[in-house]
């Protein structure tokens, strides 16, 4: 299979009697072998999204830096590195993961508003491609760390283009009031400041206006502002080698019309073709979002007033998006067993907000398996151990093979770093 997962259910195949499959593997057999809850990814779907993303942009020969926060599993990063991906990181931990996965620091950009001294040192030692700097104080800090290490730090400023990406407020980052980036009005002044710092080497301009953006015009507006900045900097004698347009291109979760890569690429190509600056991008969700699902089993069904609940073994600690953003994820019964009814899909966590999906018409019985779709991005990566719940196993499907890429956590590892102070023993 090499089809691009455009709609969430494009990841699935199989029929009513066999049950749902990912590639050529039955989800029922994945559940039997690895248990539930379990994240399941399709290698061919990841490859298809990667190829769709990169092939349309090929006329600009960009460096595509996968946003590690979307899915940091080593096997996923390794697969992407083999496909030619660079990486966008926001912590020293993510840099260590990139290296552990066989990715290249020289194709890695370091974003994020709060880089610590030790993270900056680690990134300089590793030879990252560029720091995306988000404040004047950070410029000063990187300059001083680079000076101490006797090196020059490659930098871009993340500029806040003040465009409205029309997305969920928690994931819009390009507005004036956002904590991210430096204000548009101050950008030239800060570049001039940076150009006087001997341990900084100005490489590029950068922006990231938000995530799950399904309109194309904000991308065009943001890039126009960046290009205007590049011209202003040129006039000041500050040459720019690359333009990093960030990530943010959306996918379909429910009925959103996700932008076609051809149309997104056209916006960039129209503005950048023939220019000397090299293009960088930082997609996360678009590459992996619809290439993964969360497989869960129904423990109980119950009614409460007019409501009917399916209580499943996955919860908000495994997939936080519905509780945090009221995000909608499509849910499918793995096998049709007859008797559709409307259910809320709820997890075992002790929070009223632990509802993974509301009002879904589904065939659900005790013991049935459900697939929660579009969970490849910001699913596992945002999971936690709330309620002392071990995080799920993760499985990568490759044709007829199901490969374990993360063990289910074991209970003892959850408290292995906790310490009962000696005096407590005498109580
Ligand atoms: N670059 C930077 C600097 C970012 O902050 C992000 C995402 C990306 C790239 C990748 O964005 P993408 O292409 O995946 O939209 N947890 C939220 C999403 C938070 C996104 C944070 N930044 C969610 O589950 O929807």
């Amino acid at each position: 299979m090499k089809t691009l997962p455009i709609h969430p259910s494009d990841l699935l195949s199989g029929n009513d009697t066999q049950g749902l499959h990912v590639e050529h593997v039955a989800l029922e057999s994945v559940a039997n072998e690895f248990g539930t809850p379990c994240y399941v990814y399709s290698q061919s779907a990841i490859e298809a999204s990667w190829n769709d993303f990169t092939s349309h942009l090929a006329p600009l020969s960009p460096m595509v830096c996968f946003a590690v926060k979307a899915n940091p599993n080593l096997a996923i990063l390794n697969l992407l590195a083999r496909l030619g991906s660079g990486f966008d990181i926001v912590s020293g931990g993510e840099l260590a993961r990139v290296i552990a996965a066989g990715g290249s620091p020289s194709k890695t950009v370091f974003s994020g508003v709060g880089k610590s001294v030790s993270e900056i040192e680690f990134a300089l030692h590793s030879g990252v491609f560029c720091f995306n700097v988000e404040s004047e104080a950070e410029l000063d800090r990187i300059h001083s760390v680079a000076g101490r290490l006797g090196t020059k730090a490659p930098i871009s400023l993340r500029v806040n283009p003040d465009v409205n990406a029309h997305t969920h407020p928690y994931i819009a980052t390009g507005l004036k009031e956002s904590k991210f980036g430096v204000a548009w009005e101050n950008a030239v002044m800060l570049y001039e400041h940076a150009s006087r710092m001997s341990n900084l080497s100005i490489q590029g301009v950068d922006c990231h206006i938000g995530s799950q953006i399904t309109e194309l015009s904000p991308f065009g507006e943001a890039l126009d502002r960046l290009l205007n900045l590049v011209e202003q900097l040129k006039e000041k004698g500050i040459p720019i080698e690359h333009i990093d347009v960030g990530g943010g291109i959306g996918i379909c979760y429910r009925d959103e019309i996700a932008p076609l890569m051809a149309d997104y690429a056209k916006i960039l190509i129209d503005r950048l073709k023939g220019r000397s600056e090299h293009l960088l991008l930082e997609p996360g969700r678009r590459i992996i979002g619809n290439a993964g699902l969360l497989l869960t089993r129904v423990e109980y069904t119950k009614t409460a007033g007019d409501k009917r609940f399916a209580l499943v073994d996955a919860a908000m600690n495994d997939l936080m998006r519905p509780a945090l953003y009221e995000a909608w994820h499509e849910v499918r019964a793995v096998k049709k067993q007859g008797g559709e009814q409307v259910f809320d899909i709820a997890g075992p966590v002790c929070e009223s907000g632990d509802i993974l999906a509301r009002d879904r018409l589904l065939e659900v019985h005790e013991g049935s398996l459900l697939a929660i779709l579009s969970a490849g991005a910001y699913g596992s990566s945002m999971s936690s151990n709330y309620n002392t719940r071990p995080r799920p196993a993760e499985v990568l499907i490759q044709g007829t093979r199901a490969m374990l890429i993360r063990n289910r956590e074991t209970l003892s590892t959850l408290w292995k770093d906790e310490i009962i102070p000696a005096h407590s023993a005498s109580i």
Side-chain angles (χ1 to χ4, degrees):
M1 179 188 85
K2 280 279 177 233
T3 34
L4 180 66
I6 299 264
H7 188 267
S9 55
D10 294 344
L11 184 61
L12 303 169
S13 54
N15 59 36
D16 289 0
T17 41
Q18 298 169 309
L20 298 177
H21 285 51
V22 167
E23 301 194 26
H24 299 293
V25 178
L27 286 174
E28 192 166 22
S29 71
V30 174
N32 291 341
E33 188 172 352
F34 303 104
T36 53
C38 173
Y39 276 98
V40 184
Y41 308 100
S42 156
Q43 177 160 329
S44 68
I46 297 169
E47 287 167 350
S49 313
W50 173 263
N51 290 337
D52 180 54
F53 197 93
T54 52
S55 62
H56 285 98
L57 289 164
L60 297 173
S61 313
M63 179 158 105
V64 180
C65 297
F66 175 71
V68 172
K69 64 174 86 68
N71 193 314
N73 184 292
L74 293 192
I76 303 286
L77 300 185
N78 174 266
L79 169 62
L80 289 166
R82 284 185 284 118
L83 290 170
S85 186
F87 296 97
D88 165 54
I89 56 163
V90 290
S91 69
E94 287 190 347
L95 175 55
R97 271 187 182 274
V98 165
I99 295 168
S104 170
S106 65
K107 286 166 82 176
T108 297
V109 291
F110 193 172
S111 306
V113 287
K115 302 175 191 78
S116 68
V117 167
S118 61
E119 287 176 321
I120 294 167
E121 282 171 358
F122 178 31
L124 284 170
H125 279 306
S126 307
V128 294
F129 182 75
C130 195
F131 290 87
N132 289 336
V133 180
E134 306 220 13
S135 64
E136 181 173 358
E138 187 191 329
L139 267 186
D140 294 341
R141 181 180 284 187
I142 295 178
H143 177 244
S144 101
V145 175
R148 186 156 44 73
L149 298 183
T151 185
K152 264 188 172 222
I155 62 122
S156 291
L157 279 173
R158 173 166 172 186
V159 178
N160 212 325
D162 198 24
V163 300
N164 191 342
H166 301 126
T167 183
H168 191 286
Y170 284 13
I171 51 178
T173 52
L175 287 169
K176 215 181 191 150
E177 296 79 14
S178 152
K179 75 168 180 176
F180 299 100
V182 301
W184 170 255
E185 308 80 76
N186 301 336
V188 172
M189 182 265 288
L190 286 173
Y191 269 101
E192 286 184 300
H193 178 57
S195 71
R196 289 189 290 269
M197 296 175 151
S198 52
N199 292 100
L200 298 183
S201 148
I202 295 173
Q203 298 292 310
V205 295
D206 167 51
C207 78
H208 170 77
I209 57 173
S211 196
Q212 182 52 13
I213 301 170
T214 50
E215 278 175 38
L216 284 174
S217 54
F219 291 110
E221 280 173 44
L223 181 50
D224 287 337
R225 298 213 92 185
L226 284 190
L227 288 172
N228 175 293
L229 174 62
V230 171
E231 292 316 311
Q232 290 185 55
L233 293 174
K234 212 185 261 173
E235 281 164 25
K236 304 268 180 197
I238 301 174
I240 292 299
E241 304 285 326
H242 74 247
I243 299 178
D244 181 341
V245 296
I249 181 164
I251 59 170
C252 171
Y253 283 93
R254 184 179 191 176
D255 49 14
E256 310 88 327
I257 311 284
L260 292 176
M261 266 314 292
D263 296 334
Y264 176 64
K266 184 170 180 331
I267 286 193
L268 303 182
I269 292 168
D270 283 350
R271 288 165 174 81
L272 297 176
K273 192 78 194 137
R275 293 189 64 107
S276 61
E277 299 88 3
H278 190 193
L279 171 66
L280 267 65
L281 303 107
E282 304 167 0
R285 191 188 318 263
R286 183 73 180 204
I287 305 294
I288 187 89
N290 271 333
L293 59 82
L294 177 59
L295 187 60
T296 182
R297 199 179 282 282
V298 178
E299 296 280 5
Y300 304 99
T301 58
K302 96 181 219 183
T303 50
D306 291 338
K307 276 264 168 225
R308 197 174 290 107
F309 288 98
L311 297 157
V312 296
D313 62 6
M316 64 187 283
N317 72 295
D318 304 306
L319 179 66
M320 204 178 169
R321 303 191 72 259
L324 190 59
Y325 314 117
E326 295 180 339
W328 200 97
H329 286 256
E330 185 168 333
V331 181
R332 298 279 300 271
V334 167
K335 249 187 180 163
K336 302 236 172 193
Q337 295 165 305
E340 275 188 336
Q341 287 178 308
V342 175
F343 284 93
D344 276 10
I345 314 299
V349 160
C350 299
E351 297 269 355
S352 313
D354 184 21
I355 307 285
L356 295 167
R358 290 181 196 275
D359 296 327
R360 304 302 172 87
L361 187 63
L362 282 169
E363 299 173 13
V364 166
H365 303 273
E366 199 174 306
S368 349
L369 288 169
L370 300 179
I372 304 179
L373 304 183
S374 313
Y378 307 108
S380 173
S381 63
M382 291 175 75
S383 63
S384 77
N385 295 123
Y386 189 40
N387 282 204
T388 306
R389 290 172 48 83
R391 278 174 290 184
E394 294 182 72
V395 172
L396 180 65
I397 307 292
Q398 189 190 60
T400 54
R401 289 208 298 158
M403 298 172 292
L404 185 65
I405 59 169
R406 179 178 181 163
N407 287 308
R408 181 178 310 286
E409 275 177 328
T410 54
L411 284 179
S412 58
T413 61
L414 298 192
W415 56 76
K416 76 174 177 13
D417 295 319
E418 295 168 31
I419 298 157
I420 301 175
H423 64 265
S424 308
S426 61
I427 293 173

